[in-house]
Every structure is written in C-alpha cells, then in structure tokens.
Amino acid sequence: MKALSSLALLMLATFSYAQVCTIDYSQNNPGVYPSVSPNGIKGTTFSQEFTVLFPTADAGVNYSSFQITSVELPMGLTWECSNESTSCVYLPQQDPFACLLISGTPAESGQFEVKINSNAVLANNVETVHTVQFDLEIELSSSSNGVFSISPAMGCETVDVDFTIDNPINYTPIAGQTTGVDYQWSFGNGNSSSFETPVTQTYNGAGTYQVALTQIFDTIGFRLKNVVINNVGCDDAIGYGNPDIYIHVIDADNTVVYSTEPSPNSADLPQNYNMDVLLNNPPYQIRVMDDDSDNAWGTTDDNCINGDENTATTAISLPAETNLGSTTQIGNNGSLNFSYTIEKDTFHIVSYESVTVYSNPAQPNIIVDLNDPLTLSTTDLGHVYHWNMNNTVVPSLRGTEVNPFETGTYSVTAVNEHGCYSTSTDEILDFTHLEELTEIRFNIYPNPANHVVNIDFAETLNLGKVMVTDLSGRTLIQQSIVGQSSLNVDVSALANGVYTISIINESGNLTTKKLIVQ
C-alpha cells in the first residue's frame, strides 16, 4: 500500500509539471543538460528547461535523497522544479532525474556561472552538498535596420546607447568633386550629430525615442545640366540674319564631350541648351561659335567672344565640392556672356530605429511576522523577487514569502517583465538570542526510515512533544515527551516521501529536521 501511494504521488507531481518542463531521459552521466545554456538578452523574456541527472551512489554508498535548495541566477531570473509539491526532493533510487524551468527577464548582462545546489543524504545518514553548474551568457539588447545598429535597444529609467554603421562604406572622395558620404543623425533625445560613429547618447525617462539617420551619398560628382547663351560678340553679314550659334564643351584632355549643330534658323538670343554631361575630368572649357558656312564670303566660323575667326574657349568653373543640389553660374569673356547650371549627383537614404526606456517598478514593501517561524513577505505584484541579506542575494530564499534564519540586514528586490527593478528599504533581523533560546539539540536515525525512527536528545527533555507533519503542514503523528533522553516513533503507516519532524519543549521552543520515509 505504501509503494502504491508513493507511485501515485510521483505520477501526480510529474503530470502536474509536465506541461512546463520536460525531462531529457536520454542522458546517462550525472550533471545538468544542456551544460551550456542558450544566451539570454538583458530586458528580454528568457525561458529554458534544464534536466538534472543525480548520481545514485558515492563510493559504493547509495544516495537516499536530493533536495534542490537554491539556484544561483542572474538578477531577474527565477526557477521552478518538477517536484515543487515535495519541496524539490528527489529519491534517486526511484528516479534520478529532475527538471528545472528557469525563466524571467534578466536585469543584468555578462557571463554567469549558474549553480544548482542540493542537500544530498546518503544511506549511512551522511549529508553533503551536491552542486551542478552551467554557463549562461546574458547579452545586451541590440537592434539593427540593416544600415545602423543600436545597443542596448532598451533599458530602464536612464539608458546610455551606442550607435554603429553596419557596413561602413570604403570610399575615398575625389578632390574638388565629391565629398563621399555625409551622415545626419537625429537621436530623438534633442541631440544630433554629423559623425559616422556618433558619441554615446543618454536617454532619460520612460518612453520610445525615434532615431533617424540620413545618409547623403556624394560619390559621382557634378553634371552640366544647362547652358544659356545671353550675348555674343559674333554676327552674320548683312542679309544673313542672326548668328548661327553652336557650342562645344571640352574636358582637360581637349576632348569634346558635348556639341550642338548650328542653329538653322538664325535664332534670337538667348539660346538655351539642355544637356547631361558628367564633369569628371576637369577643368572644362566652352567654345561658342557662329557657323558661317552659308555665307557668300568669309565662310570661316567666327568665335563668339569677339568675332575673330579662331577657336578660343572660355572656362567653365565647378562649384565648391560641398555645394549640393543645383548651382547656376555666369561666364563672361569679351562680348560673350552665358549662364550655366551644374548639379551634384547625390542620393539620400533615411533609416529609422527606436530606443525604448521603461520605468522601474514601484518600490516593494516588506511585512515582518515575528511569530515562529519568523516570516518576511512582500506584496505579490507579479514580479520576480530576490531576497538580499547584507546587500547580497540569498539564492535559497525565493518567492514572496520567506523564512530567514540568520542575523543580518534584509531587503527584497522586485524585477519586472522588462528587467527593471527596485529594492525595498532594509529590515534588520537579530536571531542571536532567539537561537540560544529555541535550539533543541537532537539526532534522528535511520534517515531515510522504513518503520521506526529513533530520536536521541542531547539532554533529558522534561516535558514536550514530537510531531511529524507532511509538506502541507498537516500533523500525522504526535507523541508526548516526559523526562526522556530518547524515544522511538513508528512511521510505518506513512507513505514514502518527505516529512518534517519537530520537537517542542515546555517553553514552547521548537526545532525541526527533515525526515525521509521510504
């Protein structure tokens, strides 16, 4: 009957937790699996299952039980075991496997060594601490739009954020012609920058801040888009109408890169020429001529600077290399006057990202209950709670209600779903005198027990009682103690499992120990 009850309890515990934690029964060697955890991200929800395989024996002596007492984790993470109903006690002779679900939102980044600590009891009643561990890296959050990245992409209250270009452009500007890539940052916090890699930006206060980067690419150079001839120093003979103007645009190699045919109808001034000439080989000249091939005399073409029959040119000047967009300039030489428009071939890319800043949770409170056992609790607002003693996290204290037993200064830290946290004010607890008054020294054996548990007191107990309770606090056995230094307790009617055996003296002081029945 006892074996059946134990099996039913084990099946119930396994079934109730199976939905959130699955044991990896393929492992053969004691340890924790996976031995290296997937990385977490600060401020981002983390959830990972771990299988723990306990050893069944040590130096030929069987282990009777393991109780997972604490898991040392980065702030913001908490844990559940697959045997929460039995206070995370495992009986390796029945099943050496356990499962842990580690979850929450990390509130710190870095490399961490996570330790799973258990109280281990051997069949000869020797108790040891059994620890398995694995590596866990918590990275800073980051975000990228393919153009630039931000890190971290989120934080709490005040956040310092770095910005980097994902694929920096390796381009050397052409002197006098191009400037390369221009960066115009707007960070959403009131600051801006023109540097490719801007300085770290600080964001104060909860909210979402939009970051915009405008990249202006000036890598091609100038283009001559238009020439307007306003006045010329050339003309046709009487009776032949206005000058028949044509133009040549000439580069540094004296190559004609643009030309027009003479005007067939002796057009009036101004004469407008639209074009699209890349000016990548400066300096440039323009030659403005009058076609006299249809004249009866003087058939050599005239230069429109002063009407001489030569091929003189006039300089076309490039704007300053920093001039973007369209620039119109005036050319004068002799009687020749013209205007010309030069444009910069540039294009823009605008990219966006955002930085999110969250608020810290409200400062948690601590409620102190001085009844035995002394209890510290805090209002459950759905956060992860870490209990601290002397400003150091105590991994064995978890949840919203704990029973500390050491003298020290206690506080509780609440970590919300964004990895933001607040810490309560301190509570100072002094157990020194309480421990002296309440300690009742006794030994129990065998433990684990099958039928009878022997209790030996360090000194005769004049008046008191012994109680055996289950993990829910229900009293299953109670015996009186009258002037005894030892006694026996029959536990044969109890189902296999973990119990608490308590001794109370005539002063009402109580001391407890763990009892395993199998």
Side-chain angles (χ1 to χ4, degrees):
M1 181 68 179
K2 185 188 299 182
L4 179 60
S5 299
S6 176
L7 178 60
L9 179 63
L10 180 62
M11 290 176 64
L12 178 61
T14 302
F15 176 78
S16 64
Y17 202 73
Q19 293 181 347
V20 293
C21 194
T22 304
I23 294 175
D24 178 7
Y25 285 107
S26 68
Q27 303 301 328
N28 299 310
N29 297 316
V32 57
Y33 303 93
S35 58
V36 177
S37 169
N39 292 351
I41 298 175
K42 180 181 176 182
T44 300
T45 301
F46 178 89
S47 181
Q48 178 65 39
E49 298 175 4
F50 293 89
T51 291
V52 178
L53 175 54
F54 293 111
T56 56
D58 181 25
V61 180
N62 287 343
Y63 279 104
S64 299
S65 68
F66 290 90
Q67 182 181 26
I68 300 175
T69 56
S70 66
V71 180
E72 299 175 26
L73 292 165
M75 186 166 61
L77 296 182
T78 188
W79 60 279
E80 296 176 82
C81 74
S82 50
N83 275 4
E84 287 286 340
S85 62
T86 61
S87 297
C88 300
V89 172
Y90 296 85
L91 308 178
Q93 303 307 316
Q94 298 178 18
D95 184 354
F97 285 92
C99 187
L100 290 180
L101 174 64
I102 293 176
S103 60
T105 304
E108 53 186 340
S109 60
Q111 296 278 351
F112 298 90
E113 191 175 69
V114 176
K115 295 182 178 180
I116 303 171
N117 303 309
S118 304
N119 285 339
V121 180
L122 289 159
N124 58 6
N125 274 343
V126 173
E127 294 192 19
T128 62
V129 176
H130 178 76
T131 299
V132 292
Q133 59 193 45
F134 61 88
D135 295 327
L136 172 61
E137 181 179 357
I138 304 298
E139 302 172 343
L140 284 174
S141 61
S142 62
S143 182
S144 173
N145 51 31
V147 175
F148 68 91
S149 299
I150 58 176
S151 179
M154 65 183 74
C156 307
E157 298 292 338
T158 298
V159 186
D160 291 331
V161 181
D162 292 318
F163 301 83
T164 55
I165 300 296
D166 289 342
N167 297 293
I169 297 170
N170 184 16
Y171 172 80
T172 301
I174 303 171
Q177 297 185 57
T178 62
T179 58
V181 183
D182 181 48
Y183 297 88
Q184 297 178 0
W185 294 90
S186 176
F187 299 107
N189 62 352
N191 296 337
S192 59
S193 175
S194 60
F195 292 105
E196 178 179 2
T197 302
V199 299
T200 301
Q201 295 294 311
T202 299
Y203 294 85
N204 292 304
T208 299
Y209 300 82
Q210 186 180 71
V211 179
L213 170 62
T214 301
Q215 293 171 290
I216 302 174
F217 292 85
D218 175 17
T219 56
I220 298 174
F222 294 104
R223 289 185 180 274
L224 181 61
K225 303 295 290 185
N226 172 264
V227 173
V228 178
I229 306 299
N230 297 307
N231 190 70
V232 294
C234 57
D235 54 30
D236 281 352
I238 297 174
Y240 286 91
N242 292 326
D244 303 313
I245 294 174
Y246 63 94
I247 66 172
H248 292 161
V249 178
I250 305 164
D251 68 7
D253 296 329
N254 206 34
T255 299
V256 176
V257 296
Y258 177 83
S259 64
T260 66
E261 295 296 327
S263 175
N265 57 357
S266 301
D268 293 331
L269 296 179
Q271 291 196 32
N272 185 69
Y273 303 92
N274 292 320
M275 61 197 74
D276 189 20
V277 179
L278 179 62
L279 305 178
N280 61 351
N281 187 22
Y284 283 85
Q285 307 286 327
I286 186 170
R287 181 182 295 129
V288 182
M289 303 293 293
D290 171 22
D291 180 17
D292 284 341
S293 59
D294 61 342
N295 291 357
W297 57 86
T299 58
T300 301
D301 293 348
D302 297 333
N303 189 296
C304 290
I305 296 172
N306 51 23
D308 291 344
E309 294 179 344
N310 59 37
T311 58
T313 59
T314 301
I316 293 177
S317 301
L318 297 182
E321 61 187 15
T322 55
N323 281 25
L324 304 182
S326 179
T327 302
T328 298
Q329 302 184 124
I330 302 297
N332 286 296
N333 191 358
S335 297
L336 176 64
N337 174 269
F338 60 95
S339 62
Y340 55 101
T341 300
I342 294 178
E343 290 184 0
K344 253 301 180 68
D345 267 340
T346 61
F347 63 94
H348 299 59
I349 295 179
V350 182
S351 306
Y352 299 94
E353 267 295 344
S354 61
V355 175
T356 303
V357 181
Y358 297 103
S359 297
N360 289 333
Q363 185 181 42
N365 62 327
I366 292 182
I367 303 168
V368 181
D369 183 351
L370 295 177
N371 292 317
D372 193 11
L374 188 149
T375 301
L376 298 180
S377 63
T378 187
T379 304
D380 188 356
L381 298 178
H383 304 315
V384 170
Y385 295 93
H386 298 281
W387 292 90
N388 317 292
M389 185 184 76
N390 301 332
N391 296 318
T392 301
V393 173
V394 183
S396 59
L397 302 179
R398 62 187 179 117
T400 56
E401 183 176 295
V402 297
N403 303 113
F405 55 87
E406 292 184 71
T407 295
T409 301
Y410 287 83
S411 62
V412 64
T413 299
V415 185
N416 66 17
E417 70 274 18
H418 304 301
C420 303
Y421 60 91
S422 295
T423 301
S424 70
T425 55
D426 292 337
E427 289 287 346
I428 300 175
L429 301 181
D430 187 352
F431 287 82
T432 304
H433 302 295
L434 184 62
E435 290 170 353
E436 292 174 356
L437 291 172
T438 62
E439 182 179 10
I440 305 171
R441 290 176 293 168
F442 67 95
N443 292 320
I444 59 175
Y445 62 92
N447 190 14
N450 240 337
H451 300 289
V452 175
V453 175
N454 303 305
I455 304 176
D456 287 345
F457 300 107
E459 55 187 28
T460 299
L461 196 61
N462 294 324
L463 185 64
K465 61 182 176 181
V466 58
M467 295 187 302
V468 178
T469 59
D470 61 18
L471 294 177
S472 68
R474 183 178 53 163
T475 301
L476 304 177
I477 298 173
Q478 181 171 303
Q479 290 181 210
S480 296
I481 305 170
V482 181
Q484 292 170 274
S485 60
S486 65
L487 77 159
N488 300 325
V489 178
D490 185 358
V491 295
S492 59
L494 299 180
N496 287 358
V498 180
Y499 300 87
T500 297
I501 189 164
S502 304
I503 306 297
I504 304 174
N505 64 14
E506 64 268 28
S507 300
N509 299 328
L510 177 147
T511 301
T512 63
K513 290 190 177 182
K514 178 178 64 180
L515 170 67
I516 298 174
V517 176
Q518 65 178 25

